[in-house]
Amino acid sequence: MADLKQLAEQLVNLTVKEVKELADILKDEYGIEPAAAAVAIAAAPAADGAAAAEEKTSFDVILKEAGGQKLAVVKLVKDLAGLGLKEAKDLVDGAPKELKSGVSKDEAEALKKQLEEAGAVVEIK
């Protein structure tokens, strides 16, 4: 049987791509679903210390404050969020508040730009 310590060392040092390939081989050739093991190995840092970082794809647009032109911001929030006038005013008055969540980076940047042009202070998370 193989040296288990050496095998464990090799597994820990696999890249995410190599873990995926290993998972495919185990599944296709041996019928083994290595989901839990693959997650544990993928979570371990690579040998060079560079961990694979997932790129964020979903963003939240947070209205921090209305700024000097509150009425313009309320009107814009009403249109952008599809709210009634009272709901938009309540959201602006209650800042900091989440305006939209789970939007793409491009949409979040566009919303931020529009709101900032109206005088609001906006944050993207």
Side-chain angles (χ1 to χ4, degrees), residues 46-104:
D48 62 2
E54 270 190 48
E55 186 174 335
K56 188 172 179 176
T57 58
S58 177
F59 297 87
D60 299 335
V61 179
I62 311 295
L63 177 68
K64 299 287 280 182
E65 60 182 76
Q69 298 179 340
K70 183 176 168 184
L71 183 58
V73 173
V74 169
K75 287 180 181 179
L76 186 57
V77 166
K78 176 184 172 287
D79 294 338
L80 294 175
L83 300 173
L85 188 57
K86 181 179 180 344
E87 292 83 7
K89 182 182 180 303
D90 291 345
L91 190 146
V92 171
D93 287 342
K97 287 275 190 176
E98 182 178 280
L99 179 63
K100 285 205 172 188
S101 64
V103 297
S104 69

Side-chain angles (χ1 to χ4, degrees), residues 13-31:
N13 291 323
L14 290 176
T15 65
V16 173
K17 182 179 178 185
E18 291 169 332
V19 170
K20 171 74 173 114
E21 290 174 13
L22 176 62
D24 290 342
I25 291 169
L26 290 173
K27 182 178 179 184
D28 295 343
E29 294 183 20
Y30 300 99

